[in-house]
Structures are given as C-alpha cells and as structure tokens.
Amino acid sequence: MKTDKILLDHGSGGKISHQLTETMLLPAFDNPALAMLDDGAVLSVAPGRLAFSTDTYVVDPIFFPGGSIGDLAINGTVNDVAMCGATPLYLSVGMIIEEGFPMADLERVVAEMRKAAQIAGIAVVTGDTKVVPKGAADKIYINTAGIGTIKEGVDVSGANARPGDAVILSGTMADHGMTILTLRQGLAFESDLESDSAPLNHMVAAMLDSGCDIHVLRDPTRGGVGTTLNEIAGKSKVGIRIHEAKLPVRPAVAGVCELLGFDPLYVANEGKLLAFCPADQADTVLSIIRQSPYGKDACRIGEVIDDHPGRVFMKTHIGGERIVDMLTGEQLPRIC
C-alpha cells in the first residue's frame, strides 16, 4: 500500500509499518547489523572505554538553509560523542511522526540523514518509528543515540581546563540559531544566513591523533558559547577570559543579532567546537582545525586564568572587562 502521507497504520507494527521500514529506512541505512531487524543491534567494539550519548531533535522549521532536522539529528549526536574524545561508530534513530506528515518530506529527511551518516562515517544500526494522531505532535521528532570508542591515553572532559590553557573556537558563532529564528519569524533579509550543522568527529580525530594535549572539547549548542564557557569554568573551577575583538561572527549574523537584540555569545551553534589546550600547542591545534572544511574560521578567543574560579570574563573593545554570565531562560525554544 503506497500513500503520499503518513497514516496511523505506519506506526501499528503491521504490514504497512514493515513496508515503510523495508522500502525507505533499510535502503537508506543498509548495513549487516540493521538488516537483521532484531529488537536491538549486536555490535563489535574494541576493548577499552566507550562514550555514549543521546539527544532528541524537535527543531522548527524542519527544513532550513544549510540543513534539516535529519542531518541535525545525525550530526548533533555524532558531535556529542566526539566531544568525549571518542570515535563515533554507531547510532540508533527513533522517529515520532505526526499522522498526515507528507511522505515526500519523510523521504527527504531520511535522505539527508543517510548523507550525514555517510559524511560522518558512522552506521545507523537500529531504530524505531511511532506515529501519533494529527495534532498530537508537530510534524516529526527524532531521537538519536550514539556510541563510540575512546583511545587509550585520551582524557577529555569539561572538568579538565587548566590555568594557562588557550581557548579555541573552531568558527563563527550563532549561524544556526539566527537562521532558524529568521525563518520562524518570516523575516526576509538579503543575506546568506545558513545553519552550520556539520559533523566534527573527523576534526576531533585529527586533533587527538596529532599528539597535542587536548584537555576540553565541547560543542556550544543551546545557550551558545557564553553558556558553554560558564559550564566549563564551573566544572574545572577555573576562571576564563575571552576577548571581544577575537570573537568570530559573520557580518550578516551580527547585523541580524543587533537588529533583533540578540547577543551572539548566547545563540546556538550546530557545527562548532571549543577546544582547550596548553598555550604553547595552540598554534598547532589551530592549524589542524583550519584544515577541516568546517574549521576555516577557527581562532583563539581567550585563555584560562587562576583568578575568579567558576567565572567567565570578556575583555571588551574599549579595554574594560565585563562578566559573561550563563544564559537565563530559554532564548529560542525548539532550536534543535
């Protein structure tokens, strides 16, 4: 039975459910573990430590310049696993789909998930699909969970920042958040606003393989760079100083932020990372990051200091200092 929209029957576990799995999902993510169609995947992993992460994606709108809920769901969990210093290997995918959701849109979402998984070099090995009555959800929600292996000697954590570390940001801030906001509000700007959704695992692998002493890796998603730096300062019990003049923001993004009253420091990113390493290794780490297509705008934005543990400060353009506090409240809901 071929339909142009999702029916409640697609979530029934019966014939039409199996047709959806066999005609769309299996071909998209084909691999031996998934092809077994058991209740879970049986996987081979190397001895040692595993990293495990899960996230749920409810972004609105589901399609946007630079990506969609599909590649966002893959890239987001790939990046969360990579920020543990791990090599992401396997993902699960769970979808909650609203009755009446266009089949063509689902095909597009799945195709973009498949492409993102191929770029990241990971396998989707198990999953689940549920359909809820029209009005009980908003189009489609996706959960992904991922696991990866951590090499011997790698010790990356938000609690590992040390005084004297350089703070590196892999690219421009606020691209994803401002792209979603302008679309959601129906704002028309003659600009190149585009989400930065991207997998960062290959970039991370190159950094770790270089022999550099990477202390902290974090991707500043919800809450942005400002909130993520506060989390690291709190966990590591150190102070962090950043420099306003060094913060990278695309002119189009800066213009929209100024017009709408948003601080780019607190706007979500989906393809950037923060890296902390000894200051004498910062140039090497920057060079490695800039070799990635997702790291061409990487720069050193600050340093870890002994003073004021748990606090983040910014040296302003005029030479003063101000506190960069953690974001309070939800600046922009359903951003990812």
Side-chain angles (χ1 to χ4, degrees), residues 115 229 246:
K115 181 179 178 182
L229 289 174
K246 296 181 179 180

Side-chain angles (χ1 to χ4, degrees), residues 161-226:
R162 303 170 188 171
D165 278 355
V167 180
I168 294 171
L169 179 62
S170 67
T172 53
M173 300 187 300
D175 298 289
H176 177 74
M178 298 318 295
T179 299
I180 297 298
L181 176 64
T182 54
L183 278 179
R184 189 179 299 172
Q185 300 301 322
L187 301 175
F189 295 98
E190 293 184 4
S191 66
D192 57 349
L193 290 181
E194 184 175 277
S195 172
D196 59 345
S197 175
L200 303 177
N201 54 316
H202 301 307
M203 179 192 296
V204 169
M207 294 163 62
L208 296 175
D209 289 345
S210 71
C212 290
D213 191 9
I214 307 298
H215 297 156
V216 179
L217 291 169
R218 287 292 301 276
D219 55 335
T221 53
R222 287 177 299 175
V225 170

Side-chain angles (χ1 to χ4, degrees), residues 78-99:
V78 163
N79 292 345
D80 285 345
V81 173
M83 294 308 114
C84 298
T87 300
L89 299 175
Y90 305 113
L91 289 187
S92 68
V93 173
M95 296 188 289
I96 298 175
I97 310 172
E98 183 184 23
E99 177 190 15

Side-chain angles (χ1 to χ4, degrees), residues 96-319:
I96 298 175
I97 310 172
E98 183 184 23
E99 177 190 15
F101 187 69
M103 194 65 72
D105 285 352
L106 181 59
E107 290 173 349
R108 179 178 172 186
V109 168
V110 170
E112 295 192 12
M113 294 177 77
R114 175 183 62 206
K115 181 179 178 182
Q118 290 172 341
I119 292 172
I122 55 92
V124 175
V125 295
T126 189
D128 184 55
T129 302
K130 294 292 189 297
V131 179
V132 297
K134 192 170 184 62
D138 186 4
K139 304 180 187 70
I140 183 171
Y141 305 146
I142 302 177
N143 172 274
T144 48
I147 61 173
T149 55
I150 303 174
K151 291 182 178 179
E152 189 68 31
V154 173
D155 182 17
V156 173
S157 169
N160 286 354
R162 303 170 188 171
D165 278 355
V167 180
I168 294 171
L169 179 62
S170 67
T172 53
M173 300 187 300
D175 298 289
H176 177 74
M178 298 318 295
T179 299
I180 297 298
L181 176 64
T182 54
L183 278 179
R184 189 179 299 172
Q185 300 301 322
L187 301 175
F189 295 98
E190 293 184 4
S191 66
D192 57 349
L193 290 181
E194 184 175 277
S195 172
D196 59 345
S197 175
L200 303 177
N201 54 316
H202 301 307
M203 179 192 296
V204 169
M207 294 163 62
L208 296 175
D209 289 345
S210 71
C212 290
D213 191 9
I214 307 298
H215 297 156
V216 179
L217 291 169
R218 287 292 301 276
D219 55 335
T221 53
R222 287 177 299 175
V225 170
T227 297
T228 303
L229 289 174
N230 272 276
E231 292 171 351
I232 295 168
K235 290 179 180 179
S236 296
K237 297 179 175 57
V238 296
I240 296 175
R241 182 194 297 118
I242 59 175
H243 302 268
E244 187 175 18
K246 296 181 179 180
L247 296 175
V249 184
R250 297 186 191 281
V253 172
V256 175
C257 283
E258 184 175 358
L259 179 66
L260 299 179
F262 285 86
D263 185 339
L265 269 172
Y266 297 106
V267 179
N269 313 272
E270 289 294 343
K272 302 300 189 308
L273 62 77
L274 287 160
F276 288 53
C277 68
D280 61 359
Q281 298 179 9
D283 287 344
T284 300
V285 173
L286 272 171
S287 177
I288 292 168
I289 293 174
R290 288 170 179 162
Q291 291 174 30
S292 165
Y294 310 121
K296 297 187 183 302
D297 297 313
C299 58
R300 180 173 173 174
I301 64 169
E303 55 276 337
V304 179
I305 57 178
D306 285 306
D307 300 337
H308 309 293
R311 305 304 295 267
V312 180
F313 295 85
M314 182 165 71
K315 195 166 186 64
T316 66
H317 287 298
I318 61 174

